[in-house]
Structures are given as C-alpha cells and as structure tokens.
Amino acid sequence: MPSPSPAPFAGSGNLAEQLVRLTRRMHRAQKRHLEQLDIAFTPAQSRLLRIVDHYHGTPPRMADLAERLEVVPRAVTTLVDALEANGSVRRVPDPANRRVVRIELTDTGRRALRALRSARRAAAEEILAPLTAEQREVFGDLLSALVDGPGGHH
Amino acid sequence: MPSPSPAPFAGSGNLAEQLVRLTRRMHRAQKRHLEQLDIAFTPAQSRLLRIVDHYHGTPPRMADLAERLEVVPRAVTTLVDALEANGSVRRVPDPANRRVVRIELTDTGRRALRALRSARRAAAEEILAPLTAEQREVFGDLLSALVDGPGGHH
DNA sequence: TATTGTTATACTCTATAACTATA
DNA sequence: TATAGTTATAGAGTATAACAATA
C-alpha cells in the first residue's frame, strides 16, 4: 500500500463538490457573456441546440435528444417547447412513422448558435484561466475520457 | 503551431457540456449509493453538512455557509430548514450578536456524515473508473487548481 | 402489445426583492 | 443606516406516472 493519503480533504472526497462549483461558475460566466450579446438561452436549451446542430444524418427525434442529453423524454418536451417558441427550432413530423417528431434547426437557431458558441468560448477561457495551455489539454483529455468512458453510453 | 486539433468538437467548446454530464452522473451515483444505506440527503444538503463538519473554530453562521456554497443567503435557509427538520443540524443563536445564527452538527448529523462519505467515495470510484491512479491524481490536481484559482474566492 | 411523445404533477436548487430584528 | 436572516415569489431543470396516437 504505497498510498500516503495525507490531506483529509484530498483525493476524490471532493469530486462532487468541485464539479458542482465549476459547473455553476461556468453557467454564470456563460450567462454573463450571453447577456452582453443580448440573447437569453438557458444552459439546457443551449445544450439541446448544440446537439441538434451536431447531429448527423436526418434530424434527431425527441428520443434521440433525450438520450444525448441524458435526461428523461419528458424533459425534452419542455426544452423544445421553449426553443420552438423563440423560433430556434421546428418540430417536423416524420412521414415514415407518424409517432416520431424530428427537430430541425431554423435560420434563427443557426444565428443563435454562433452567439452561443462565442459566449461558451469566452466563459471557458475564464474558467480555464488558472491553467497553462498544456494543462488545459491534459484536463480536456481526462474530462473526455471520463465523459465518454464506461457509463457514458447508458 | 503543433496543435493538430482534428475533431470539430475538441477543445473547450465542450467544457460546459462535459461538466454538466459528469456532475449529473456523480449525483445519480451518490443517490444510488445513499439509497442502499437507506438514507436520503439531497446533493445540496450533503454539501452543506460537509462544510459545517469541516468548519474551523466556532460553528459557521448562515452567511459563512452561503459564501462557502457560493449561493445567496436565502438558499441556505431552505437547506438548514430541511437539515434541522431531520435532526442533522441545530440552529444556535449567537449571544454576542443576536442577529447571527450559528449552525451546529448534531450526533445524528455526524452519523449521517459517515454514510454520506461512504456514498461519496463509492460514487467517485464509479465516475473515475476510466482513469488510472496517476490520471486521477492529475485530474484532481487540475480540478483543485481550477476551483481554488482566480474567481474562487469571489 | 410496444413505442413515441405528451399532459399532469412534484421536487430540488437557486435567484430577486421586500421585510424584521437587530446593531 | 448597515447587517443577518427571513418570508414571499419565481424560474430552471428534471423526475414519475398516466395517457393518446400510432405501429
């Protein structure tokens, strides 16, 4: 057993705490930058919009979005309602299966995505400020390994 | 410029997304482990309890807890209400300044903390499973640098 | 009968604003 | 007047359960 384990607060005892704090700061920073651009999307709406944008092939179904967001289908309805109300996306019935609804980006949505991206980048820059370029790269790689790792695909 | 930067999704464009997903997974894992121990604390209640436990000197005031949690004072009232209702914590008026309320841990609260710690550790173990021991250490160090860095003390 | 998305409902977390009781 | 905590209210995010339409 080589583990010295010195600090009482060290190790993973903190993981949840640190993740919560970082996530909240990131959201606050994004909100601040979005306000400067005079647009208002909530973090969950931003995530959904981005997923729609990066989706390959035919536009995603509600169920696809639920899976990508890692939320229950009901949660997607609320988000799409709001995004459809402000004109960022469009619900398109699938002729091949009349139960499914596909979510398409509108031109308005595409414009919003550009603003969202710039706010996201500015916020990330703030959050990552304490790290050097090499540290950021390492951090990003580890984060990706965690997110895409076991448990990442349900 | 040696950076190949191949993937369109690489870099920090993802930071918020990854943090949100990791945080949610961590919370779900903690909830699962807590249920096995037949106790139910919400993530925010757990955080508060832990802060009270690790507080140095006299027990923290509500305002101290708000600062540590990085939330507005109003949010602390709700959390302390719930923790006081289940007997984990006690509101103690400060005789030196009758406006301030200090929050003390009860024996029940100390028992709960032990269960919370074990659930937290088990959850962290799950989340960090994709990483080697060395990677976990690096990740923890970078996370700490970010959380304790600029902006970390308001 | 199984699947897709919805309506109805509820809970957690947190914010802003106004108020109370101190100091 | 300034400070500490509260009551009142609201909105974001998400869950469970029951249901309608369709397959």
Side-chain angles (χ1 to χ4, degrees):
Chain A
M1 297 288 169
S3 165
S5 191
F9 238 61
S12 57
N14 258 317
L15 183 58
E17 178 74 17
Q18 292 174 316
L19 288 175
V20 165
R21 289 165 69 174
L22 258 198
T23 304
R24 280 168 47 68
R25 282 187 209 167
M26 181 79 193
H27 283 166
R28 283 192 298 237
Q30 282 186 341
K31 186 181 177 195
R32 202 171 351 99
H33 288 285
L34 278 178
E35 280 166 355
Q36 287 176 2
L37 301 172
D38 270 307
I39 60 175
F41 285 86
T42 68
Q45 288 166 7
S46 303
R47 289 181 65 208
L48 192 150
L49 218 48
R50 192 168 138 94
I51 288 171
V52 174
D53 188 42
H54 289 278
Y55 208 81
H56 297 305
T58 53
R61 304 170 309 145
M62 300 289 279
D64 296 326
L65 295 174
E67 190 186 342
R68 296 291 191 97
L69 288 166
E70 295 179 33
V71 298
V72 86
R74 174 60 183 92
V76 179
T77 297
T78 304
L79 296 173
V80 170
D81 282 351
L83 290 171
E84 196 170 34
N86 75 26
S88 301
V89 301
R90 202 185 300 127
R91 275 180 168 93
V92 179
D94 185 331
N97 182 339
R98 284 163 50 202
R99 284 174 303 187
V100 342
V101 176
R102 296 194 179 272
I103 305 305
E104 289 179 3
L105 219 47
T106 64
D107 288 341
T108 299
R110 267 179 280 273
R111 273 193 297 279
L113 271 163
R114 283 193 287 275
L116 287 169
R117 186 178 55 195
S118 89
R120 211 165 44 233
R121 287 180 175 176
E125 184 55 43
E126 273 183 40
I127 297 298
L128 296 174
L131 302 189
T132 66
E134 303 93 273
Q135 286 177 319
R136 293 179 194 199
E137 193 175 339
V138 171
F139 184 67
D141 289 347
L142 293 173
L143 216 42
S144 296
L146 289 175
V147 172
D148 303 331
H153 337 101
H154 279 236
Chain B
M1 294 293 168
S3 164
S5 188
F9 241 58
S12 57
N14 253 326
L15 183 57
E17 178 75 17
Q18 291 173 316
L19 287 176
V20 164
R21 289 165 69 174
L22 258 197
T23 304
R24 280 170 47 69
R25 281 187 209 165
M26 181 79 194
H27 283 165
R28 284 192 298 238
Q30 283 185 342
K31 185 181 178 194
R32 205 174 347 101
H33 288 285
L34 279 179
E35 279 165 355
Q36 287 176 3
L37 300 172
D38 269 308
I39 60 175
F41 285 87
T42 68
Q45 289 165 8
S46 304
R47 288 181 68 208
L48 192 150
L49 218 48
R50 191 168 139 94
I51 289 172
V52 174
D53 189 41
H54 288 281
Y55 208 80
H56 297 305
T58 53
R61 304 170 310 146
M62 301 288 281
D64 296 326
L65 296 174
E67 191 187 342
R68 296 291 192 98
L69 288 166
E70 295 179 28
V71 298
V72 299
R74 174 61 182 90
V76 179
T77 297
T78 305
L79 297 173
V80 170
D81 283 351
L83 290 171
E84 194 170 36
N86 76 23
S88 300
V89 108
R90 202 184 302 127
R91 274 181 169 94
V92 180
D94 185 330
N97 182 340
R98 286 161 50 200
R99 285 174 304 188
V100 344
V101 176
R102 295 193 180 273
I103 305 305
E104 289 180 4
L105 220 47
T106 63
D107 288 342
T108 299
R110 268 179 278 272
R111 273 194 296 280
L113 271 163
R114 283 193 286 275
L116 286 169
R117 185 176 56 194
S118 91
R120 213 165 43 232
R121 286 181 175 174
E125 183 54 45
E126 273 184 39
I127 298 299
L128 296 173
L131 302 189
T132 66
E134 303 93 273
Q135 286 177 318
R136 293 179 194 200
E137 192 174 339
V138 171
F139 184 68
D141 288 348
L142 293 174
L143 215 44
S144 297
L146 289 175
V147 172
D148 302 332
H153 337 102
H154 279 236

